[in-house]
Amino acid sequence: MNTPNTKLIIGFIGLGALAFSSCKKDSQPEPAMPVIEHVEVGLGDNGIGVVGEDFHLEMDVVAGERIDVVQVRIEQRAGETYTRQWHHEITWEQYRGARNTNVHRHFDIPEDAPEGTYDFVIVVQDQNGARLEEKRTLRIYLRENLPVDPTLTIFNIHNNNEIFYRNGEFAGADVFRGGDIIRSQVTIGGLKGDGAMYILLIDKQLNHRPETVDGIDFSKAIVYDVYQHEGWETVGDFSNFVFDLETFTTVRALPRFTIGADQDNNSPQPNPISGDKTWKSGDYLFGVVYTNTTHNMSFYHYIDLKVALN
């Protein structure tokens, strides 16, 4: 038989157990947060988008547990002036279940986007319930209002003094053979300020396709040519072939480059063609990468071709 004192003791024990249980629940750890790194909003992380045109986003995502969804929102800012109300949202579910991933997406800025400065909101939802949001700044322009507008106007390749590629078409075969001599003219319009172009040949097996000058990995890219402009106050065309119409003399000739050479045409110091980029027969990219350092805008263009050393 329980005495009154026994009941009182039991009651205190029950309250203590309840308090202990409550403390255990209160001390549950917060779910691990996802992390985003190496974010590029726009080419070269320039934070610029153009109405109706392709936009670049890249980042590395590490989940707290497993990724649920990745989302971006483009939102108007309080205190900014816009011609109309507008917002945009994209959600990608294909990363669901990944522990970590590289998110590299290209999407068009919608045609109805008004010009202005926006919040570019990156959202990563984790399957453990954690949610990360980070804001970046995005400036959206109409093309005619861009500070510079890199536009490819000439992209030609000659092989052994004959036309190899011009105006988007191969003259015949799309193959460079060992010992062939390349010359290539590239002209980009709509430029001013300071900038540099690199013309590259890259083995496709290396999975390297740089979109900005800073993104070039010279252990993988063979440099055909590099050229710079500085201090241009008015908009003009920038070409790696320069001819003076007044004197009818060539100011800068197109460099020559031999398939199978021991070193490339990088400047001021050529790079050896060795290691990962040692010559191989197979599929290659040939293209130009340009970055305007004054206005932090980049441009790139590649074509596919083949190299046959034998």
Side-chain angles (χ1 to χ4, degrees), residues 46 48 147-148 191-194 232 292-298:
N46 64 7
I48 293 175
V148 293
L191 304 178
K192 64 180 180 179
D194 300 348
W232 285 16
N292 188 288
T293 52
T294 302
H295 299 283
N296 194 20
M297 293 190 67
S298 294

Side-chain angles (χ1 to χ4, degrees), residues 166-218:
R166 175 179 286 177
N167 298 327
E169 295 183 359
F170 290 95
D174 61 350
V175 180
F176 284 136
R177 300 192 180 278
D180 285 350
I181 298 174
I182 301 173
R183 290 183 303 132
S184 177
Q185 181 183 1
V186 176
T187 302
I188 302 174
L191 304 178
K192 64 180 180 179
D194 300 348
M197 72 160 69
Y198 282 77
I199 304 174
L200 308 172
L201 184 65
I202 306 173
D203 183 350
K204 292 182 73 172
Q205 289 186 343
L206 298 177
N207 295 316
H208 184 51
R209 192 173 181 269
E211 300 176 349
T212 66
V213 167
D214 285 345
I216 299 171
D217 183 344
F218 293 100

Side-chain angles (χ1 to χ4, degrees), residues 239-261:
S239 180
N240 67 332
F241 175 74
V242 183
F243 187 81
D244 190 330
L245 291 175
E246 293 184 358
T247 62
F248 288 94
T249 58
T250 299
V251 177
R252 186 182 194 269
L254 295 175
R256 297 161 64 88
F257 180 69
T258 302
I259 297 295

Side-chain angles (χ1 to χ4, degrees), residues 131-175:
R131 179 183 176 89
L132 173 69
E133 289 195 11
E134 288 197 12
K135 288 184 181 180
R136 303 295 173 102
T137 297
L138 173 64
R139 173 69 184 176
I140 295 180
Y141 289 92
L142 292 169
R143 173 157 290 282
E144 57 266 29
N145 294 332
L146 282 168
V148 293
D149 183 14
T151 304
L152 188 67
T153 60
I154 297 175
F155 189 78
N156 296 336
I157 307 172
H158 286 72
N159 184 7
N160 297 327
N161 296 320
E162 295 185 357
I163 296 171
F164 179 82
Y165 180 89
R166 175 179 286 177
N167 298 327
E169 295 183 359
F170 290 95
D174 61 350
V175 180

Side-chain angles (χ1 to χ4, degrees), residues 16-45:
L18 181 61
F20 180 72
S21 174
S22 176
C23 288
K24 286 185 67 176
K25 290 180 181 179
D26 290 344
S27 64
Q28 289 293 321
E30 293 292 325
M33 292 292 293
V35 176
I36 62 172
E37 298 177 310
H38 311 123
V39 181
E40 291 186 2
V41 176
L43 276 181
D45 198 27

